[in-house]
Amino acid sequence: MDDDEKKDMCPICKTDRYLSPDMKFLVNPECYHKICESCVDRIFSLGPAQCPYKGCDKILRKNKFKTQVFDDVGVEKEVDIRKRVFNVFNKTLDDFDGDTDAYNKYLEDVEDIVYNLDHGIDVAKTEEKLRTYEDINKQLIMANMERSKQDLENFEQRQKFEKEMKLKKRILEKQIQEEDMANKEWAKREIVNQLSTSGDADEVIANVKKTVKLKKSSARRKLEELNKVLKNNPFMTVSNGLMKKKETVPFTPFNGDRDIHKRYTLTDSGYFDPFIKELEAKKEYIASGFRADYVYDRMLTEAFMGLGCVITEELQTPQLNSVN
Amino acid sequence: MTATTSESPKEPTGDKEAVRTLQRVTDDDLYRHSSQYRLWSFTPEQLNQRRIDINARAALRTDQNLKEFKEAHKELTDEELTALELKAVPVTVEEEYMLVNYYAKMIISFAGKMNLPTEVAATAASFLRRFYLVNSVMDIVPKEIFYTTLFFACKSENYFIGVESFAKKTKSTPESILKHEFKLLESLQFTLMNHHPYKALHGFFLDIQTVLQGKVDLKYMGQVYNNCKKTITDALLTDAVYFFTPPQITLAALLREDEALTSKYLELKFNIIKDAPNEDGNSDPIIDSQKRLNGRKLLEIIRNCKEIISRKNSTKQEELSRIAAKIHFSQNPQSVIERVKRQQQSSSATPDPEESQRKKQKT
Amino acid sequence: MMQTEYSKEKKVGEGTYAVVYVGTKYSTNRKVAIKEIKTSGFKDGLDMSAIREVKYLQEMNHVNVIELIDVFMAQNNLNLVLEFLPADLEMIIKDSSILFTNADIKSWLLMTLRGVHHCHRNFILHRDLKPNNLLLAPDGQLKLADFGLARNMGSPQEILTSNVVTRWYRAPELLFGAKHYTGAIDMWSVGVIFAELMLRIPYLPGKDDIDQIDVTFRALGTPTDRDWPEISTFSTYNKIQFYPPPSRDELRRRFAAATENALDLMCGMLTMNPHKRWDPTKCLTSEFFVELPEPTVPEELPKLNNK
């Protein structure tokens, strides 16, 4: 059996890709032995089991199987190790406050770990190192993960934004072109029309041209604005570091200044309030935008506004505005 | 190693402590920002001291004026001097208080006669009373500031009436109404907003329905509401307005109107455990952000307030005339002398009613 | 005695009822604006605008509302000492040498809405929101100013005058003479200001009160009884021209730089029916403020070029 043939055949059930084109191969990062999907289903559905390869004593779980991306199992393994290590050692240059030397030292350490794991050197000790680091730096790791997620999102949004803008620009340009054509046509007709009633050709032409000029402006103005926006691309500011400093304070619509723990809840079922009910039914009230729920909300707010102020205690310190 | 779930404190984790200055403003804090709380709320001691100070200052000035008057009039007879000693004396703190309260009451009934909205009337009374927490009745007599206050309250409450028609309605003159307008504004320390308890009452009327759903007759609630409105108007004439907030005054009025209903509402609303073993009620849920208050304490505050708004302070007409005359004589010593002279001439004692008659014509 | 605490250095403006000076508070060297309210020649005594301004500013305490530092009497004149705010949004919009981005617009709108939210939660209607009443502090903060038309949200049965708000920013219910309106009228003004920030020209510039109705409905469609119950009870309603509402695409074309969320927010504030118009809370929690770009930090907002 030569290598090519081996590549397309499951070593367990001997099914050939040639005969079952839908066949997919999976590997498990424990040993990276290639097994076809239906074998995985069959062997591991009931729980962890030993790898069916002869001489391999690894216990494999079904949920750890994945599609092999790289033809070379060695590469596949290294990539997986890197992914795992970098998920934990996820500092960026920023975390070193720009100290390049320290950052490089850190990268080297990480490379050592990857190398050791990949080549089976000091595996137990290295794994321990990885775990220890993970435990100690849990917070930072989470934060950095969040950050890279955000970066990705920003990137995607930016791409979307730029695409939208470009589309709008194309539409506007087309619109301007069309308008220009229409204006030219209109000017021609208008000049002919006006010349038939008025004598001074130069004046007529000048006037019509002026009108055309005024007409043109709307789409053009929009294009100018669009260009301006593109030039001041808001996403640029995000990437060029202007906004970096404030990312620790999350945006809150009210600047944190809103009482969300009211002492009452407005009922939906309505209140017995003949006075308000009467107003609510009046046409001129309805048309004005009068809202009974606004009234109720206000009255209830005033009912509890200051209920918790204990004046006799809070004002124990002498007031500033004593009689002068 | 795996057991350490929380972050190790020494490790430079790099997440710069997100210094967030979240100043969440509660509705109580909004009230603390109001001028009514900042400038016009007092402890009983503060209020008392304030009244004493104002009275003392004006009394001192009155005494000084009197001394100067005596020095300027060396020709005064013994009889006249005795009359001065007796009649031209400053009014006391209590007398000031009685007089101001009388006029505050008057302004509300007068506003009623003019068909002004309840809130305008309440504001006018509040303005008048605040004015005399800065000035003494010996500086400006209430009569002189009465219409100014009402006119100004109308403007402040968006119920504008032109000064001409206002003067016509009140049988006064535009000049006399406007004369002290600035003085009034300045005395109010340029703060015009009043939080009256009427809206709070409306609010509790609604909330009681929710809390005591099915347990209270709605028609009866309407009756309670109307009666409490009157109680609140009376309460506005007491010192409760300086010691308590509008919701507290409202609850006191409700408590006065129907103790059982209001207690039940408060118990359910704030989870007050009745007859709980621990007397101080420390286990009751806290109901304000500053942790000063739980339901039991709130109940105590409301009871205190109820006590104050229930005090009757009706002053007799004769008493008021006497105070008014006292102010008049102390501020115008010359009138005492004239009175003595006239008495000597007619040799028959002039009774007080005629006295006040003459004063009316003069002012 | 009080007047000696401040210097009046330069007259910077004069209105019908007030003269404004730039000055300094001696004790702190803080620059202030002093609004001297004319008091003579008003037969009804102290002017209503002055009373309102004093009354409401005394109760406010918010970064996005102008600060009333002090009030004093001098030579029988009423003086309001306000924080000194050298620019307003109208000046920025009109100055064609200033470029601003969507992030800047978002920041100004955010600060405006926070200010309005604060007014409304104190039950105060501003009733004259427009770009030149939105003042800008040297640190970029935007502040609501001019409370001369402000009032308490009244008791429900009170009749309010519909003759408020500068014409171009006047909500449709005011154009029809509504007498029981709500905070929704302020929200309409903010919506028009938002549109103006994006277009950099006034969005609904009516020539007179009649034209204002026409301009408003031509841009945004004439409302009907279906989307605005009882609108036909307004006496002027039957005399007006009917225009169809603009399609989403037309709005997209008009506001080329606006995102979908920006358009949603603007349309929310420019909803004809005041019942359904967005309130400050709904606006502030809209997607527009969460999506990128983030609002510009106030310190970095465009400023007037020094002349």
Side-chain angles (χ1 to χ4, degrees), chain C residues 2-277:
Chain C
M2 284 273 228
Q3 62 268 38
T4 53
E5 277 180 46
Y6 304 94
S7 71
K8 280 181 189 169
E9 280 143 32
K10 205 174 95 198
K11 193 159 149 183
V12 287
E14 178 153 16
T16 42
Y17 85 101
V19 186
V20 183
Y21 297 90
V22 178
T24 311
K25 181 169 182 165
Y26 289 126
S27 54
T28 55
N29 230 4
R30 181 180 182 184
K31 221 169 182 192
V32 294
I34 301 175
K35 201 165 181 175
E36 186 184 279
I37 295 178
K38 297 176 189 169
T39 43
S40 49
F42 290 96
K43 76 166 185 44
D44 292 311
L46 212 53
D47 186 68
M48 284 290 278
S49 311
I51 291 177
R52 287 181 179 134
E53 185 125 46
V54 172
K55 176 172 174 182
Y56 297 113
L57 285 183
Q58 284 282 25
E59 309 298 317
M60 298 281 201
N61 182 352
H62 192 273
V63 304
N64 299 123
V65 176
I66 192 170
E67 185 194 348
L68 178 65
I69 301 165
D70 202 355
V71 188
F72 65 87
M73 292 282 194
Q75 291 101 45
N76 256 330
N77 275 336
L78 182 62
N79 291 265
L80 312 190
V81 183
L82 297 155
E83 68 183 306
F84 176 66
L85 301 165
D88 64 53
L89 208 53
E90 190 188 19
M91 292 153 94
I92 299 271
I93 293 172
K94 278 189 173 164
D95 187 334
S96 53
S97 72
I98 297 173
L99 295 181
F100 50 78
T101 63
N102 281 355
D104 300 335
I105 295 176
K106 188 177 291 189
S107 182
W108 283 318
L109 184 66
L110 179 65
M111 293 188 280
T112 307
L113 284 168
R114 282 175 179 162
V116 174
H117 174 254
H118 187 69
C119 291
H120 288 189
R121 74 168 162 177
N122 280 295
F123 306 108
I124 294 167
L125 301 175
H126 185 282
R127 304 202 299 179
D128 198 13
L129 291 171
K130 56 181 173 182
N132 80 359
N133 279 343
L134 302 177
L135 307 190
L136 299 168
D139 66 357
Q141 287 289 352
L142 177 149
K143 318 226 173 204
L144 270 55
D146 196 345
F147 281 69
L149 273 174
R151 68 161 291 158
N152 265 350
M153 292 181 188
S155 302
Q157 76 282 11
E158 253 180 284
I159 287 176
L160 313 177
T161 168
S162 58
N163 194 17
V164 290
V165 187
T166 306
R167 192 190 303 126
W168 298 348
Y169 306 92
R170 209 176 282 160
E173 63 268 34
L174 295 176
L175 298 174
F176 286 128
K179 290 186 167 48
H180 304 283
Y181 49 82
T182 62
I185 63 148
D186 283 339
M187 297 316 295
W188 176 276
S189 306
V190 178
V192 180
I193 294 166
F194 184 25
E196 183 167 337
L197 279 166
M198 293 194 278
L199 298 172
R200 293 201 71 164
I201 47 162
Y203 182 41
L204 304 170
K207 286 191 278 294
D208 52 54
D209 289 358
I210 304 295
D211 189 46
Q212 189 62 39
I213 295 182
D214 197 60
V215 167
T216 303
F217 297 141
R218 206 175 333 131
L220 292 157
T222 310
T224 63
D225 260 334
R226 223 188 46 201
D227 35 50
W228 182 346
E230 305 297 352
I231 187 179
S232 55
T233 54
F234 288 123
S235 59
T236 42
Y237 179 75
N238 297 314
K239 295 176 200 128
I240 61 172
Q241 179 93 32
F242 185 83
Y243 298 101
S247 69
R248 188 76 175 187
D249 261 332
E250 282 171 288
L251 287 173
R252 279 189 195 115
R253 256 174 277 139
R254 182 86 210 258
F255 299 93
T259 63
E260 290 305 301
N261 285 327
L263 285 182
D264 283 346
L265 175 57
M266 186 187 81
C267 294
M269 292 192 272
L270 295 179
T271 304
M272 285 294 161
N273 182 357
H275 272 266
K276 297 199 186 123
R277 203 172 299 145

Side-chain angles (χ1 to χ4, degrees), chain B residues 25-27 30 33-36 38-39 119 151-152 154-164 174 178 181-183 185-186 189-195 199 202, chain C residues 1-2 39 42-48 51-52 54-56 58-61 63 68 71-73 76-78 118 121-122 124 127 150-156 158:
Chain B
V25 176
T26 65
D27 281 351
L30 284 185
H33 284 164
S34 73
S35 56
Q36 182 161 316
R38 287 185 290 116
L39 301 178
E119 302 244 348
F151 174 70
F152 194 65
C154 285
K155 287 208 281 191
S156 178
E157 294 293 313
N158 258 302
Y159 200 87
F160 182 76
I161 301 172
V163 73
E164 300 277 354
L178 296 177
E181 198 182 32
F182 277 3
K183 177 79 185 161
L185 180 62
E186 200 175 15
Q189 302 186 62
F190 308 101
T191 57
L192 306 176
M193 185 78 93
N194 276 277
H195 294 273
K199 292 206 173 67
H202 195 161
Chain C
M1 54 193 186
M2 284 273 228
T39 43
F42 290 96
K43 76 166 185 44
D44 292 311
L46 212 53
D47 186 68
M48 284 290 278
I51 291 177
R52 287 181 179 134
V54 172
K55 176 172 174 182
Y56 297 113
Q58 284 282 25
E59 309 298 317
M60 298 281 201
N61 182 352
V63 304
L68 178 65
V71 188
F72 65 87
M73 292 282 194
N76 256 330
N77 275 336
L78 182 62
H118 187 69
R121 74 168 162 177
N122 280 295
I124 294 167
R127 304 202 299 179
R151 68 161 291 158
N152 265 350
M153 292 181 188
S155 302
E158 253 180 284

Side-chain angles (χ1 to χ4, degrees), chain B residues 126-334:
Chain B
S126 158
F127 282 175
L128 190 81
R129 297 186 69 212
R130 288 178 182 181
F131 182 84
Y132 287 110
L133 290 179
V134 174
N135 305 290
S136 161
V137 294
M138 293 178 269
D139 300 326
I140 294 182
V141 289
K143 217 175 177 176
E144 216 175 314
I145 200 87
F146 188 82
Y147 293 125
T148 311
T149 310
L150 192 56
F151 174 70
F152 194 65
C154 285
K155 287 208 281 191
S156 178
E157 294 293 313
N158 258 302
Y159 200 87
F160 182 76
I161 301 172
V163 73
E164 300 277 354
S165 63
F166 188 90
K168 214 171 278 168
K169 273 186 196 163
T170 56
K171 296 190 183 66
S172 56
T173 63
E175 296 73 38
S176 67
I177 291 167
L178 296 177
K179 186 179 165 206
H180 292 302
E181 198 182 32
F182 277 3
K183 177 79 185 161
L184 175 63
L185 180 62
E186 200 175 15
S187 299
L188 295 173
Q189 302 186 62
F190 308 101
T191 57
L192 306 176
M193 185 78 93
N194 276 277
H195 294 273
H196 299 309
Y198 300 110
K199 292 206 173 67
L201 175 63
H202 195 161
F204 281 120
F205 169 70
L206 301 172
D207 202 49
I208 289 174
Q209 292 179 27
T210 310
V211 174
L212 298 179
Q213 199 170 17
K215 295 186 187 116
V216 60
D217 179 48
L218 295 173
K219 281 264 151 54
Y220 172 69
M221 269 306 295
Q223 208 181 307
V224 169
Y225 177 84
N226 285 331
N227 293 342
C228 274
K229 240 179 122 173
K230 288 190 200 91
T231 314
I232 283 174
T233 302
D234 292 339
L236 291 178
L237 299 172
T238 69
D239 286 343
V241 293
Y242 305 119
F243 310 149
F244 301 97
T245 63
Q248 294 162 356
I249 295 170
T250 310
L251 286 172
L254 279 162
L255 200 66
R256 227 183 92 137
E257 185 61 31
D258 187 330
E259 173 120 26
L261 175 97
T262 312
S263 303
K264 189 83 213 149
Y265 165 72
L266 288 172
E267 266 165 42
L268 289 172
K269 181 81 190 174
F270 299 114
N271 296 313
I272 305 168
I273 308 135
K274 224 178 173 182
D275 310 322
N278 59 333
E279 280 295 299
D280 53 0
N282 276 337
S283 58
D284 290 351
I286 299 290
I287 56 178
D288 76 320
S289 61
Q290 297 205 343
K291 301 198 170 51
R292 285 177 193 272
L293 201 60
N294 61 27
R296 202 174 294 250
K297 190 162 164 198
L298 176 68
L299 206 56
E300 190 190 307
I301 290 171
I302 295 166
R303 291 230 166 87
N304 284 342
C305 180
K306 181 190 157 197
E307 211 273 303
I308 293 180
I309 65 172
S310 305
R311 281 181 206 156
K312 283 270 165 283
N313 55 350
S314 57
T315 311
K316 287 198 188 71
Q317 191 64 42
E318 308 90 79
E319 186 78 346
L320 289 163
S321 310
R322 189 186 58 76
I323 298 167
K326 202 170 164 188
I327 296 170
H328 177 75
F329 289 135
S330 63
Q331 302 309 305
N332 307 286
Q334 186 60 45

